[in-house]
Amino acid sequence: MAVDPLNPPIDIVLVVDDSPLQRQHAVELCRKVGMAQVYEAADGAEGLLKLATLPHPRLVIVDLEMPGMDGVEFIHQLAKHHLPALLIVASSKDSTLISSVETMAQALGLPLLAALQKPLTEAQLRAALLRHRDTPGHYTPVTSPAPVASIAELAHAIVSRTISVHFQPKVDMKTGMIKGVEALARWQHPEHGWIPPVQFIPLAESHGLIHDLTLEVVRQAFEQAAVWNAHGLKLSVAVNLSPLLLNRPEFVTEVAELLNAHRLAAEQIVWEVTESSIVADLGMSLGTLARLRLKGFGLSIDDYGTGFASMQQLSRIPFTELKVDRSFVHGAHQREHLRVILQSALDMANRLKLTTVAEGVETMEDWRLLQASSCTLGQGYLIARPMAGDALPGWLREHNARLAELRA
């Protein structure tokens, strides 16, 4: 089997913990899951010295409370000195503190696989390593940054339809049945391979190409929806809407014409808008969103909870859907404060009669919690990765075999 160069197997691990007993426990777990080389360090300072001598790729399992250099300072030093390592935090401290450190590591740009309360278990370790294996590009050495294509290449890719659209399913939390998809732009560069959206979408926005890019995504998404409709598979299709397009009054007319050309119902299309994108030009943004609703389109407030004006946006914009950010979903079953925030958002949305979508559903524990919390739809790697439109029927046949498990 070929090895993914972005996700090589992790055979080297460093356990950083001041407790000899806890270190030995972690070492034994690492050997059980097949780690070939396991090293130990009693605090952060010793861990940094050992880490500098180890080859790539390597995993670090670090405690937080240690004499000398504690785990928080150790993580800061990893980021400061650009020491590439996958990271698992394992601590006996309370879940709120562990969650804060998790957010800190992510903000520092470190590849954190898990932030867990002790005692660390074999199942937790295997799940963390599986997350690394199943997340393309999760581990990228700092010595080889991903290439960034030029604006001219992006413009050509849009015109030549090299930009393609993949679709990630959204399924009903009660039945497991597919209800819709999210349309996601993908770009396979002839030299650099797959260029991530986090690179080419800001490039399009900063060089005046986001309008053409979005319309190309919309065309392809509408074409695919029409094909599915013709085969009896009627799904809602969500499309991300750049904040720059909210200032273009003609955009509503353009997408309405595309809708009619493909004989789709406006109710089948949902525009996903990030809550922060409406602030720049409030008058124009509200006008565009109101006109989209008048046409019958759905509106989703995307990444709910990551901004500062979530409730204010809900009070003044005719949203039909609330999409909860993955940061409030993944791992919520382990953290009480996340569960409270998640449940509060879902309760409020249900009272407002909004469809609720949870993104980032990666584990069965996430799925069960969302079921118990009366969430409407789920989206994430537990269900499916984004895929080409013609791959959906095959995935659907396999997914239907899982329905009993998802409904249990």
Side-chain angles (χ1 to χ4, degrees):
M1 181 174 66
V3 175
D4 183 345
L6 291 179
N7 279 323
I10 305 299
D11 296 322
I12 301 169
V13 61
L14 173 65
V15 179
V16 184
D17 196 316
D18 64 308
S19 166
L21 186 63
Q22 295 284 356
R23 276 204 316 273
Q24 186 58 38
H25 173 68
V27 167
E28 290 174 359
L29 291 182
C30 290
R31 288 179 175 150
K32 280 185 178 180
V33 301
M35 296 290 187
Q37 303 176 55
V38 185
Y39 300 85
E40 302 176 44
D43 69 2
E46 183 183 350
L48 289 175
L49 291 174
K50 287 196 173 182
L51 188 62
T53 67
L54 300 179
H56 306 297
R58 59 271 184 98
L59 169 70
V60 176
I61 302 175
V62 60
D63 186 24
L64 294 181
E65 191 176 23
M66 296 181 289
M69 182 185 292
D70 59 40
V72 175
E73 185 179 356
F74 172 80
I75 293 171
H76 270 283
Q77 292 297 318
L78 287 182
K80 179 180 178 180
H81 297 289
H82 305 292
L83 295 173
L86 295 163
L87 192 63
I88 294 176
V89 171
S91 172
S92 59
K93 304 303 288 184
D94 64 87
S95 61
T96 304
L97 176 58
I98 295 172
S99 180
S100 296
V101 175
E102 178 180 22
T103 303
M104 177 198 77
Q106 292 168 342
L108 291 171
L110 296 176
L112 183 72
L113 296 185
L116 308 166
Q117 274 191 305
K118 290 181 177 177
L120 183 65
T121 67
E122 181 180 347
Q124 289 174 325
L125 183 56
R126 288 188 183 277
L129 295 173
L130 186 64
R131 189 172 303 120
H132 159 67
R133 187 197 72 183
D134 286 348
T135 306
H138 191 91
Y139 177 86
T140 304
V142 296
T143 53
S144 56
V148 178
S150 70
I151 186 64
E153 290 175 313
L154 178 56
H156 177 72
I158 296 171
V159 173
S160 64
R161 301 194 75 169
T162 307
I163 299 289
S164 61
V165 177
H166 283 195
F167 301 88
Q168 187 170 30
K170 299 178 180 181
V171 300
D172 187 283
M173 292 298 309
K174 292 180 180 178
T175 66
M177 299 290 290
I178 187 170
K179 294 296 182 180
V181 294
E182 180 180 1
L184 299 163
R186 294 292 183 262
W187 181 15
Q188 187 167 27
H189 191 279
E191 295 179 13
H192 304 311
W194 291 105
I195 304 290
V198 293
Q199 288 185 7
F200 70 80
I201 290 178
L203 188 66
E205 289 181 324
S206 61
H207 289 81
L209 289 178
I210 191 62
H211 174 257
D212 293 342
L213 174 60
T214 302
L215 286 185
E216 179 57 31
V217 170
V218 171
R219 286 190 193 97
Q220 293 188 39
F222 285 11
E223 287 173 5
Q224 185 61 69
V227 171
W228 288 331
N229 283 355
H231 288 82
L233 183 61
K234 190 170 184 179
L235 303 172
S236 70
V237 178
V239 181
N240 290 282
L241 193 55
S242 168
L244 298 179
L245 297 177
L246 297 179
N247 297 330
R248 297 178 67 109
E250 66 274 20
F251 179 75
V252 177
T253 302
E254 290 171 333
V255 295
E257 289 175 350
L258 284 172
L259 190 81
N260 292 333
H262 292 91
R263 299 182 180 180
L264 301 177
E267 292 78 11
Q268 201 172 342
I269 309 302
V270 178
W271 302 102
E272 294 192 0
V273 184
T274 57
E275 58 186 79
S276 60
S277 68
I278 306 160
V279 178
D281 190 336
L282 184 60
M284 287 294 296
S285 298
L286 290 177
T288 300
L289 294 171
R291 291 183 64 214
L292 287 170
R293 281 296 295 129
L294 286 171
K295 295 287 187 183
F297 293 107
L299 293 180
S300 175
I301 182 168
D302 195 11
D303 297 339
Y304 181 82
T306 59
F308 297 101
S310 304
M311 292 187 182
Q312 185 183 39
Q313 303 292 33
L314 280 175
S315 70
R316 63 190 182 186
I317 297 168
F319 285 110
T320 58
E321 179 181 285
L322 182 147
K323 195 169 188 182
V324 182
D325 185 71
R326 73 174 307 279
S327 61
F328 296 104
V329 173
H330 183 62
H333 65 280
Q334 296 176 313
R335 298 174 191 145
E336 183 179 2
H337 69 294
L338 279 185
R339 287 197 300 275
V340 171
I341 295 171
L342 175 63
Q343 188 65 64
S344 297
L346 294 174
D347 287 345
M348 179 186 62
N350 288 333
R351 290 188 177 190
L352 293 173
K353 296 181 173 56
L354 301 178
T355 298
T356 52
V357 181
E359 61 181 355
V361 184
E362 296 184 2
T363 67
M364 188 57 72
E365 290 83 2
D366 295 338
W367 177 266
R368 295 291 181 229
L369 176 63
L370 291 164
Q371 278 184 319
S373 303
S374 300
C375 184
T376 313
L377 303 174
Q379 175 183 355
Y381 286 174
L382 176 69
I383 304 303
R385 295 178 177 279
M387 66 190 77
D390 57 8
L392 190 72
W395 167 82
L396 194 55
R397 286 190 292 272
E398 296 178 0
H399 176 72
N400 286 342
R402 301 178 58 199
L403 292 181
E405 175 193 12
L406 294 173
R407 292 170 180 171

